Amino acid sequence: NTTPEQNLNKSKLIVQNHYSTFFYKSLAANAPTICFCKKDYWKLTTKAAKLYDNLHNAGILFYDSKLAAQKLKEVWPDVTSWWANDKIQNARREFCEEYANRNDNWFSIWIKYLRQIK
């Protein structure tokens, strides 16, 4: 009787079959994640496409379920080392800075932002 979010950091590896809000949450929580989905499922801006390509090139996002399964088999013995890799973390951080930014002071940040709107 728990939500998936409550189990994010209790899981050894999260595997998802599409990039949804939970995908963003898992990356923001820095939970080891593999996602596979159909390429070009969503229309992306050039900037977004570059960030998704970075996730793909880092081995987080896959457009072929068989390749995702191969990656899972490859990393399973030592998920922690795989996930700590600089290429993975850099792609994850860059993506999160744009689309899954997590900050405990979110309310203050939003208030400051809204006050600047004229």
Side-chain angles (χ1 to χ4, degrees):
N1 293 332
T2 61
T3 64
E5 290 82 358
Q6 291 171 304
N7 295 307
L8 264 175
N9 293 317
K10 296 176 188 173
S11 302
K12 184 174 179 178
L13 177 65
I14 296 163
V15 178
Q16 299 178 52
N17 65 351
H18 65 287
Y19 44 89
S20 63
T21 301
F22 190 71
F23 177 61
Y24 303 146
K25 288 180 178 183
S26 67
L27 293 179
N30 202 11
T33 303
I34 290 177
C35 180
F36 61 96
C37 61
K38 184 178 176 183
K39 186 170 173 81
D40 301 326
Y41 188 73
W42 301 104
K43 187 171 179 121
L44 301 173
T45 65
T46 303
K47 183 176 183 179
K50 178 187 177 293
L51 294 172
Y52 279 92
D53 285 345
N54 289 348
L55 294 176
H56 174 72
N57 293 334
I60 297 171
L61 179 62
F62 294 85
Y63 301 118
D64 180 320
S65 59
K66 290 180 182 177
L67 293 176
Q70 285 177 331
K71 177 55 85 172
L72 186 134
K73 286 180 187 179
E74 175 190 319
V75 304
W76 187 254
D78 192 1
V79 172
T80 304
S81 292
W82 164 71
W83 191 250
N85 177 283
D86 286 343
K87 186 174 182 179
I88 298 260
Q89 287 300 308
N90 289 337
R92 183 197 66 79
R93 252 190 246 85
E94 188 177 358
F95 182 86
C96 288
E97 284 173 9
E98 189 65 32
Y99 296 111
N101 197 357
R102 183 185 176 283
N103 190 311
D104 291 336
N105 298 319
W106 66 270
F107 189 75
S108 298
I109 292 167
W110 271 103
I111 293 297
K112 183 178 178 181
Y113 173 76
L114 292 172
R115 286 186 176 151
Q116 292 175 353
I117 297 174
K118 296 189 187 224

